[in-house]
């Protein structure tokens, strides 16, 4: 597509878009088109049919392109982008040594810039929605909302509701009531973004031990009543599982079930260490999971049993955990991790097939973060959150099985345009209505200062220092 095509698309619409194919939930449909108006898909169907039913619209031909739903990142930490490269080679529970200190060193400008930088990377990677699990920076969470909104990405915005300090659970009357200030703030947050086209309120607890039992129960109830989600890191690290066993005699997920906090409102991040019983709990309660395969690999952690989840009908999406914002590489990692950990040992050569991972990277992810009725698929009535993918590249031109090809051979360089809410937000990797390179330049300055003043502790040196150490006499 050329500059003229961009000019035709860079406006409020309505549009009749005529790509080579449209990726539907059922698979790719050649010769189909979409009508986009007022931020939504108004019609989806064969191109000739839509031309007849919308004669007032001039079709925009998108030759050599596939129109597909945008990716949904089911687990992110937008204000951690300044430290993404600090996690390489580090052992588990780095949130204690890296993320909490780093976010604690952010002021309002650096928190905004970090969040907007993460949103830009996500858009470049084809994500049209991100679920932010809450910032620990000492700023109003609206700073993160503003960054996401200004970047043009849809955001499920978590508010951290921790009230147990360092994780040593409060006992007695305080445990029965929880922290009234935390709960009042949670209630206000759930209504703060009513009517906002891009920001969707969510509650969050860092890990189960970071909140009192009363608060865990209450935030689950508040979210359920509001039709929102509660994001909690659950069963991610062996140390956390062991602490829960010592404190409650139950594993973290079992403890959440025991106190009545599981349910469709809960989005369990990671869930890498699951027993068969806990899989049953997830299935029976309708609890959702964010499967984060790249984070598991980078931290040397376990891999969540996503194939077993799919088989048992457990709701799950795919999350980056802030590792790298590339939807195609995330889908590939999701399939690859299952193949290495489960498929090779059992001779499962299909390992879910390409469609499984595309489904959970898009529609399944939207369901997991509480936006199934809003986004995640190219379907009439849903928000027009979509990608235009160049299928004339060497990687995709010889097409035999589009879902597999997108998972195995797709990459963000093939994304020509990204649309969120019916508006073009990115064209060939650059924002359409704000200065992306300028933001990156400012982020470099702010990140250096933030990392220097943060009391970060790393277990491993940089790769260059490690090489010098290994070759020293």
């Amino acid at each position: 597509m050329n500059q003229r095509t961009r000019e035709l698309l860079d406006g409020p619409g309505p549009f009749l878009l005529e790509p080579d194919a449209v990726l539907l939930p059922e698979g790719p449909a050649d010769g189909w088109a979409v009508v986009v108006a007022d931020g939504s898909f108004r019609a989806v169907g064969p191109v000739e049919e839509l031309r007849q039913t919308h004669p007032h619209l001039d079709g925009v031909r998108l030759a050599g392109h596939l129109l597909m739903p945008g990716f949904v990142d089911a687990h992110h930490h937008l204000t951690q982008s300044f430290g993404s490269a600090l996690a390489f080679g580090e052992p588990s529970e780095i949130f204690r040594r890296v993320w909490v200190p780093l976010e604690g060193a952010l002021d309002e400008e650096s928190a905004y810039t970090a969040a907007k930088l993460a949103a830009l990377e996500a858009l470049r990677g084809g994500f049209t929605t991100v679920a932010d699990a809450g910032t620990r920076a000492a700023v109003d969470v609206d700073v993160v909302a503003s960054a996401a909104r200004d970047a043009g990405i849809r955001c499920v915005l978590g508010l951290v509701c921790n009230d147990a300090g360092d994780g040593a659970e409060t006992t007695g009357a305080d445990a029965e009531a929880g922290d009234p200030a935390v709960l009042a703030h949670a209630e206000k947050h759930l209504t703060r973004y009513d009517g906002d086209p891009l920001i969707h309120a969510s509650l969050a607890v860092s890990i189960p031990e970071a909140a009192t039992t009363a608060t865990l129960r209450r935030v689950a109830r508040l979210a359920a009543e509001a039709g929102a989600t509660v994001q909690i890191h659950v069963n991610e690290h062996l140390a956390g599982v062991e602490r829960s066993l010592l404190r409650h005699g139950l594993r973290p997920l079992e403890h959440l079930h025991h106190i009545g906090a599981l349910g469709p409102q809960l989005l369990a991040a990671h869930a890498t260490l699951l027993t068969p019983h806990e899989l049953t709990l997830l299935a029976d309660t309708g609890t959702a999971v964010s499967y984060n395969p790249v984070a598991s690999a980078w931290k040397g952690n376990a891999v969540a049993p996503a194939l077993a989840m799919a088989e048992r009908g457990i709701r799950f999406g795919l999350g980056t955990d802030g590792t790298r914002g590339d939807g195609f590489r995330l889908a590939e990692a999701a399939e690859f991790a299952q193949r290495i950990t489960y498929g090779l040992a059992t001779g499962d050569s299909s390992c879910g097939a390409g469609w499984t991972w595309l489904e959970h990277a898009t529609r399944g992810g939207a369901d997991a973060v509480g936006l199934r009725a809003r986004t995640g698929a190219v379907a009439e009535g849903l928000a027009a959150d979509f990608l235009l993918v160049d299928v004339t590249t060497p990687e995709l031109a010889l097409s035999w099985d589009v879902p597999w090809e997108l998972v195995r051979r797709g990459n963000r360089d093939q994304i020509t345009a990204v649309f969120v809410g019916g508006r073009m937000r990115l064209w060939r990797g650059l924002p359409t209505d704000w200065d992306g390179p300028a933001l990156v330049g400012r982020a470099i300055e702010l990140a250096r200062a933030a990392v220097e003043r943060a009391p970060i502790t790393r277990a491993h040196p940089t790769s260059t220092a490690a090489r010098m150490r290994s070759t020293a006499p």
Side-chain angles (χ1 to χ4, degrees):
M1 294 190 292
N2 55 29
Q3 182 64 26
R4 173 59 179 157
T5 305
R6 172 181 172 167
E7 292 170 358
L8 290 172
L9 297 175
D10 196 4
F15 302 112
L16 170 57
L17 304 181
E18 303 177 359
D20 285 358
V22 175
L23 186 64
L24 304 174
E26 301 78 21
D30 293 337
W32 276 44
V34 302
V35 173
V36 174
D38 298 325
S40 301
F41 291 115
R42 287 298 180 88
V44 180
V47 62
E48 291 300 331
E49 177 182 309
L50 295 194
R51 286 175 180 172
Q52 292 177 14
T53 55
H54 298 79
H56 58 292
L57 295 179
D58 293 327
V60 180
R61 181 75 180 100
L62 306 173
H65 281 76
L66 169 75
L67 189 153
M68 65 173 285
F71 293 112
V72 175
D73 187 343
H75 185 63
H76 206 313
H77 295 273
L78 294 175
T79 56
Q80 292 179 2
S81 65
F82 286 178
S84 295
L86 294 173
F88 303 152
E90 290 295 297
S92 67
E93 293 206 324
I94 60 172
F95 70 92
R96 299 179 185 275
R97 297 178 290 102
V98 177
W99 302 129
V100 171
L102 175 61
E103 288 182 298
L106 301 179
D107 58 17
E108 187 168 302
E109 182 189 6
S110 55
Y112 173 89
T113 304
K116 194 171 183 181
L117 181 72
L120 173 58
E121 183 184 355
L123 286 167
R124 281 170 47 82
F127 291 102
T128 52
T129 297
V130 293
D132 179 76
T135 184
R136 298 180 185 89
V139 300
D140 189 327
V141 72
D142 196 53
V143 170
V144 180
S146 295
R149 192 186 298 111
D150 293 347
I153 199 165
R154 191 175 302 282
C155 180
V156 176
L157 181 62
L159 173 74
V160 175
C161 299
N162 299 352
D163 69 343
D166 62 1
E169 184 170 6
T170 306
T171 58
D174 288 341
E176 289 299 317
D179 186 328
V182 168
L183 296 174
H185 196 189
E187 289 192 65
K188 291 180 180 178
H189 179 73
L190 287 174
T191 59
R192 186 174 188 179
Y193 298 101
D194 288 352
D196 194 299
L198 293 181
I199 309 301
H200 311 275
S202 168
L203 303 179
V205 174
S206 299
I207 50 178
E209 61 199 271
T212 60
T213 296
T215 292
L216 287 170
R217 285 197 186 103
R218 182 61 178 155
V219 296
R221 189 177 305 118
L222 286 172
E225 292 170 353
T229 61
V230 179
Q231 305 178 57
I232 308 180
H233 297 75
V234 180
N235 288 48
E236 180 184 4
H237 302 296
L238 185 59
V241 172
E242 292 174 343
R243 285 194 298 269
S244 182
L245 285 168
L246 291 173
R247 177 174 296 168
H248 304 294
L250 297 168
R251 296 161 65 85
L253 193 73
E254 293 174 330
H255 172 59
L256 291 175
H257 177 64
H258 177 70
I259 66 174
L262 294 191
Q265 80 286 341
L266 182 64
L267 174 56
H270 297 287
T272 55
L273 303 168
L274 296 177
T275 64
H277 172 61
E278 288 170 311
L279 285 169
T280 298
L281 291 179
L282 290 171
D284 289 350
T285 60
T287 300
V289 170
S290 176
Y291 165 40
N292 311 322
V294 180
S296 291
W298 284 15
K299 291 185 282 190
N301 206 357
V303 175
L307 276 174
M309 294 181 195
E311 179 67 24
R312 299 184 69 163
I314 294 170
R315 301 164 54 229
F316 73 91
L318 308 186
T320 65
D321 197 22
T323 50
R324 64 180 180 222
D326 190 323
F328 288 115
R329 292 187 72 184
L330 179 63
E332 179 191 28
E335 186 270 337
F336 191 71
Q338 296 301 300
R339 182 173 298 275
I340 294 297
T341 53
Y342 307 109
L344 293 181
T346 60
D348 181 359
S349 58
S350 176
C351 219
W355 70 267
T356 297
W357 311 110
L358 276 184
E359 167 76 14
H360 289 281
T362 54
R363 187 168 58 163
D367 177 44
V369 304
L371 296 183
R372 182 175 183 175
R374 183 71 63 97
T375 188
V378 180
E380 186 174 337
L382 293 186
D385 300 345
F386 64 93
L387 314 177
L388 297 179
V389 178
D390 186 349
V391 291
T392 66
T393 63
E395 295 83 3
L396 298 177
L398 304 180
S399 180
W400 308 104
D401 188 333
V402 170
W404 260 127
E405 289 150 11
L406 291 173
V407 169
R408 286 285 183 83
R409 294 173 65 80
N411 64 73
R412 66 181 172 197
D413 293 342
Q414 296 155 346
I415 301 172
T416 298
V418 179
F419 288 73
V420 181
R423 287 186 52 196
M424 185 164 63
R425 311 291 180 163
L426 216 70
W427 175 267
R428 300 196 185 281
L430 292 173
T432 57
D433 58 358
W434 56 278
D435 192 337
L439 175 84
V440 174
R442 183 59 177 151
I444 292 171
E445 299 172 1
L446 293 171
R448 287 183 180 137
V451 171
E452 284 177 2
R453 65 176 174 263
I456 293 169
T457 303
R458 298 184 67 201
H460 293 287
T462 65
S463 130
T464 300
R467 179 179 184 180
M468 293 177 63
R469 179 186 296 177
S470 68
T471 57

